[in-house]
């Protein structure tokens, strides 16, 4: 991986710009998850209502603990044993942009497995938004070549990595109930 691509992407995030980037699942539209205006831009690009919350990516359990008030032990166990990218919905997030958080005061967060994403978040020092690189209601692109011209023209910065990679699945999404039961939202 090119350090210049990493630094350019971090600079775009610091400037509050939107990015199009490869994740540990599908290509994503992202931004600084703590920047209200940047998150609003992502909703505009996706043509998605702000009432539908977004997934946020972090690089580690330590970073997760900085942005979620309470992490149930079962969530830590799931993250430790999961081989498949797994997004968990947590209650009572903190320090994230209000428009990232769902109306029930929950947030969907995934600890990334992809090396570029991990380095990007580490270098940036904050969580980033990740939502599939499509307009709401359209099919999720499985590769860079399937991303619509509308999306390509709408984002501020496109990461020039993994353009040939084909991804067939989004992350699994789990919710931990107040009784510490695991509810599968998307397998």
């Amino acid at each position: 991986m090119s350090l210049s691509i990493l630094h350019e992407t971090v600079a775009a995030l610091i400037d509050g710009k939107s990015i199009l980037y490869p994740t540990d699942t599908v290509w994503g539209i992202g931004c600084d998850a703590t920047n209200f205006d940047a998150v609003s831009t992502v909703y505009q690009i996706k043509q998605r209502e702000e009432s539908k919350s977004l997934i946020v990516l972090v690089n580690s359990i330590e970073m997760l603990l900085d942005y979620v008030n309470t992490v149930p032990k079962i969530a830590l166990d799931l993250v430790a044993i999961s081989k498949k990218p797994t997004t968990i919905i947590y209650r009572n997030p903190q320090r994230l942009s209000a428009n990232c958080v769902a109306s029930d005061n929950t947030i969907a967060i995934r600890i990334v497995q992809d090396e570029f994403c991990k380095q990007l978040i580490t270098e940036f020092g904050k969580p980033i938004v990740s939502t599939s690189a499509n307009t709401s209601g359209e099919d999720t692109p499985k590769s860079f070549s399937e991303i619509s011209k509308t999306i390509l023209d709408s984002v501020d910065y496109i990461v020039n990595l993994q353009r040939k990679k084909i991804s067939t699945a989004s992350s699994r999404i789990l919710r931990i109930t107040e009784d510490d039961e695991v509810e599968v939202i998307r397998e």
Side-chain angles (χ1 to χ4, degrees), residues 39-170:
V39 173
S40 290
T41 298
V42 170
Y43 279 111
Q44 290 168 8
I45 292 168
K46 287 225 22 125
Q47 298 172 27
R48 180 175 176 164
E49 296 174 34
E50 287 198 24
S51 61
K52 293 186 169 190
S53 63
L54 302 167
I55 292 175
V56 171
L57 303 181
V58 296
N59 65 352
S60 63
I61 289 173
E62 292 76 26
M63 183 177 273
L64 171 69
L65 294 170
D66 286 341
Y67 292 91
V68 176
N69 214 5
T70 306
V71 177
K73 182 182 179 325
I74 191 165
L76 296 174
D77 294 344
L78 288 166
V79 167
I81 64 169
S82 183
K83 300 291 182 230
K84 179 179 182 177
T86 300
T87 301
I88 298 177
I89 299 172
Y90 298 94
R91 293 183 296 278
N92 304 317
Q94 56 194 15
R95 300 177 45 214
L96 294 168
S97 176
N99 52 352
C100 272
V101 179
S103 59
D104 64 353
N105 201 32
T106 60
I107 188 72
I109 299 179
R110 181 168 75 249
I111 298 173
V112 292
Q113 298 172 353
D114 176 80
E115 198 53 44
F116 170 73
C117 286
K118 199 174 276 196
Q119 288 182 352
L120 175 62
I121 296 165
T122 299
E123 187 84 15
F124 181 52
K126 295 189 273 185
I128 59 175
V129 163
S130 180
T131 183
S132 57
N134 60 302
T135 303
S136 275
E138 292 182 358
D139 291 339
T140 300
K142 294 178 176 65
S143 66
F144 181 82
S145 64
E146 292 182 10
I147 299 170
S148 74
K149 182 170 176 10
T150 303
I151 296 295
L152 294 171
D153 291 345
S154 298
V155 297
D156 296 311
Y157 180 80
I158 300 173
V159 174
N160 189 16
L161 291 173
Q162 302 178 28
R163 298 266 174 113
K164 304 272 189 233
K165 175 183 165 189
I166 296 175
S167 299
T168 56
S170 300

Side-chain angles (χ1 to χ4, degrees), residues 2-22 27-31 41 45 116 120 144 147 151-161 163:
S2 162
L3 278 180
S4 65
I5 292 173
L6 178 66
H7 293 272
E8 288 169 11
T9 310
V10 169
L13 291 170
I14 289 169
D15 288 345
K17 295 183 176 177
S18 61
I19 62 170
L20 180 65
Y21 67 110
W27 272 81
I29 301 169
C31 68
T41 298
I45 292 168
F116 170 73
L120 175 62
F144 181 82
I147 299 170
I151 296 295
L152 294 171
D153 291 345
S154 298
V155 297
D156 296 311
Y157 180 80
I158 300 173
V159 174
N160 189 16
L161 291 173
R163 298 266 174 113

